[in-house]
Amino acid sequence: QMRLVESGGGLVLAGGSLRLSCAASGRNLRNYAMGWFRQAPGKEREFVAAISWSGGNTYYADSVKGRFTISRDNAKNTVYLQMNSLKPEDTAVYYCAASNTIVVVTPSEAYDYWGQGTQVTVSS
């Protein structure tokens, strides 16, 4: 089993930045593609960003492209989401997830392990 723990969420003003971290334990992260998803109140969980096992390929939702950056440090078993130019509509619980594949994947159904989430609130 893999355990994922997110951190780094909080309250930030619009235009500000946050960096989320996702620390994995129980399995070696280098064997998994990783993704970030978010769920706002009253809305379905949506894809945000994904990264291949090596970090060589990334993919972003249109709504965050150019503002968010996903990265990983396999030596530290950790994945990151750098969020810049935050907007109130970015407010959500952010989840990291691991998929037992080496390529970038976007559907939530493709992910095998999920963290508990971290709250991000962007005030205007």
Side-chain angles (χ1 to χ4, degrees), residues 2-21:
M2 177 185 285
R3 182 171 181 242
L4 301 172
V5 179
E6 302 95 336
S7 62
L11 174 64
V12 64
L13 292 174
S17 298
L18 284 173
R19 188 174 85 152
L20 305 183
S21 298

Side-chain angles (χ1 to χ4, degrees), residues 8-114:
L11 174 64
V12 64
L13 292 174
S17 298
L18 284 173
R19 188 174 85 152
L20 305 183
S21 298
C22 173
S25 60
R27 294 285 177 90
N28 195 327
L29 205 59
R30 68 177 68 249
N31 297 321
Y32 294 81
M34 298 297 295
W36 285 95
F37 292 77
R38 66 186 181 186
Q39 187 167 19
K43 295 187 177 181
E44 293 188 354
R45 188 175 296 184
E46 65 173 357
F47 168 80
V48 175
I51 189 166
S52 60
W53 71 279
S54 67
N57 291 294
T58 58
Y59 189 78
Y60 298 92
D62 287 343
S63 59
V64 307
K65 200 172 297 182
R67 299 189 297 122
F68 291 11
T69 302
I70 187 171
S71 62
R72 64 191 298 160
D73 186 338
N74 287 339
K76 295 183 178 180
N77 243 24
T78 302
V79 177
Y80 305 97
L81 185 67
Q82 178 67 44
M83 306 186 296
N84 298 329
S85 303
L86 283 161
K87 304 175 182 180
E89 50 263 44
D90 294 318
T91 295
V93 177
Y94 283 72
Y95 300 88
C96 73
S99 176
N100 192 10
T101 179
I102 62 173
V103 299
V104 169
V105 291
T106 59
S108 60
E109 295 79 9
Y111 287 83
D112 305 289
Y113 300 101
W114 293 82

